[in-house]
Amino acid sequence: MQRMTRQRAAVGELLADTDDFRSAQQLHEMLREAGHSVGLATVYRTMQTLAENGDVDVLRNAEGESLYRRCRKQVHHHHLVCRDCGRTVELDAAIVEHWAAEVGQAHGFVDVEHTAELFGTCAQCARRGSHDA
Amino acid sequence: MQRMTRQRAAVGELLADTDDFRSAQQLHEMLREAGHSVGLATVYRTMQTLAENGDVDVLRNAEGESLYRRCRKQVHHHHLVCRDCGRTVELDAAIVEHWAAEVGQAHGFVDVEHTAELFGTCAQCARRGSHDA
DNA sequence: ATGTGCATGGGAACCATTCTCACTTGCGGT
DNA sequence: ACCGCAAGTGAGAATGGTTCCCATGCACAT
Ligand SMILES: [Mn+2]
Ligand SMILES: [Mn+2]
Ligand SMILES: [Zn+2]
Ligand SMILES: [Zn+2]
């Protein structure tokens, strides 16, 4: 019931080549530049489906936009993301997992989920940024 | 240069009485019900200013809406929030602070900020929820 | 090759938030 | 108390990311 279409193939190929977090609109533009023709609505739909299936990770930047990325790890993890270029480091954070579970239980909450993301400026962007100014 | 207006007084009073995270629209409605007349745009502006001054904390729920709350602690902290009723527990998380700082430095990132929020269903809402269904 | 129903895409709709701008008002100065 | 004016307000328009609609396209089982 899940069909392989030209559009989905193009998105999949793009995600394989990209290891920074990107917005749906950025992905759409990248597809256009690569010569593929894929509707914006289709990009949104595709990313949503991939996210639901756990095939991509989603996070929201400070502006509230959703950013997507195909991660190496399939299991739950967190990220350190460059707010300038999207460069991403995948993180294990057993400490954070324990903390979240303990705190939730201690206060009688159930179905506890957590978000924990780090945003910074990567070394390369920091170097580039110090040139001007 | 910061003037005390009827509207800001009303918002301040409301925030003092509320200790759950609330959206600007919810606050606007609560003001209306309390008999105050405050424009929605003013609520947004006021919350934005309060947030910039660190007088309220802001976080985004799963739907991407901004939620506001006047916290007891003035210093940096995190939250455990009921996704149904907004009930909130303020959290110290020295472990998370250390983790964030270490990880950022280890990967050469600078100006590292972090988000870490827990969302769950509070005991009361869990009890209420189990009645129906 | 054909049929069926999932997939696509362009534009409209949605919705939280911000902007605009004419009007109001707090408040320092007199 | 009275002025003057910059800060504040609010109703509606604009914004912008995302979702919805629906006529058309196309993957794929038979
Ligand atoms: Mn985790
Ligand atoms: Mn922290
Ligand atoms: Zn970078
Ligand atoms: Zn609750």
Side-chain angles (χ1 to χ4, degrees):
Chain A
M1 91 174 26
Q2 176 83 328
R3 295 178 184 173
M4 181 50 51
T5 65
R6 171 177 64 76
Q7 292 85 344
R8 286 176 184 168
V11 170
E13 188 181 336
L14 175 58
L15 289 174
D17 294 342
T18 309
D19 56 14
D20 303 336
F21 271 95
R22 295 269 114 100
S23 70
Q25 312 226 22
Q26 285 178 319
L27 294 171
H28 178 246
E29 179 58 24
M30 292 167 80
L31 286 169
R32 169 171 302 290
E33 287 173 359
H36 292 104
S37 172
V38 181
L40 180 57
T42 297
V43 175
Y44 274 107
R45 264 187 309 242
T46 301
M47 298 318 297
Q48 187 172 290
T49 301
L50 289 173
E52 285 168 1
N53 296 354
D55 294 323
V56 298
D57 281 9
V58 194
L59 58 82
R60 308 253 188 159
N61 65 14
E63 286 70 45
E65 284 180 301
S66 291
L67 304 182
Y68 305 91
R69 176 178 192 265
R70 172 125 80 202
C71 285
R72 300 285 192 278
K73 300 191 210 302
Q74 286 294 61
V75 300
H76 171 84
H77 59 277
H78 299 266
H79 308 92
L80 168 60
V81 184
C82 176
R83 64 171 71 85
D84 292 337
C85 72
R87 186 186 313 276
T88 298
V89 179
E90 297 181 24
L91 306 171
D92 301 297
I95 318 92
V96 176
E97 309 307 318
H98 292 151
W99 170 71
E102 259 173 48
V103 167
Q105 185 174 4
H107 293 87
F109 281 57
V110 296
D111 298 332
V112 177
E113 300 178 323
H114 62 271
T115 65
E117 307 292 344
L118 312 188
F119 294 93
T121 304
C122 76
Q124 182 174 317
C125 285
R127 216 175 303 125
R128 179 165 55 71
S130 61
H131 290 170
D132 35 52
Chain B
M1 97 172 20
Q2 175 85 328
R3 296 179 184 172
M4 181 50 51
T5 64
R6 170 178 63 78
Q7 292 85 343
R8 285 176 183 165
V11 170
E13 189 181 337
L14 174 58
L15 289 174
D17 294 343
T18 309
D19 56 13
D20 303 337
F21 270 95
R22 294 270 115 98
S23 69
Q25 312 226 24
Q26 285 179 319
L27 293 170
H28 178 246
E29 180 57 25
M30 293 168 79
L31 286 168
R32 168 172 302 291
E33 287 172 2
H36 292 104
S37 172
V38 182
L40 179 57
T42 297
V43 175
Y44 273 108
R45 265 187 308 243
T46 302
M47 298 318 296
Q48 188 172 289
T49 300
L50 289 173
E52 284 167 2
N53 296 355
D55 294 324
V56 298
D57 281 8
V58 194
L59 58 81
R60 308 255 190 158
N61 65 15
E63 286 71 45
E65 284 181 303
S66 291
L67 304 183
Y68 304 90
R69 176 178 192 264
R70 172 125 79 202
C71 284
R72 301 282 192 279
K73 299 192 211 302
Q74 286 294 62
V75 299
H76 170 85
H77 59 277
H78 299 265
H79 308 94
L80 168 60
V81 183
C82 176
R83 64 171 71 84
D84 292 337
C85 72
R87 187 187 313 276
T88 299
V89 179
E90 297 181 24
L91 306 171
D92 301 298
I95 316 91
V96 176
E97 309 306 318
H98 291 150
W99 169 71
E102 261 173 48
V103 167
Q105 185 173 4
H107 292 88
F109 280 56
V110 297
D111 298 333
V112 177
E113 301 178 322
H114 61 271
T115 65
E117 308 292 345
L118 311 189
F119 295 93
T121 304
C122 76
Q124 183 173 318
C125 285
R127 216 175 302 125
R128 180 165 54 72
S130 62
H131 289 170
D132 37 50

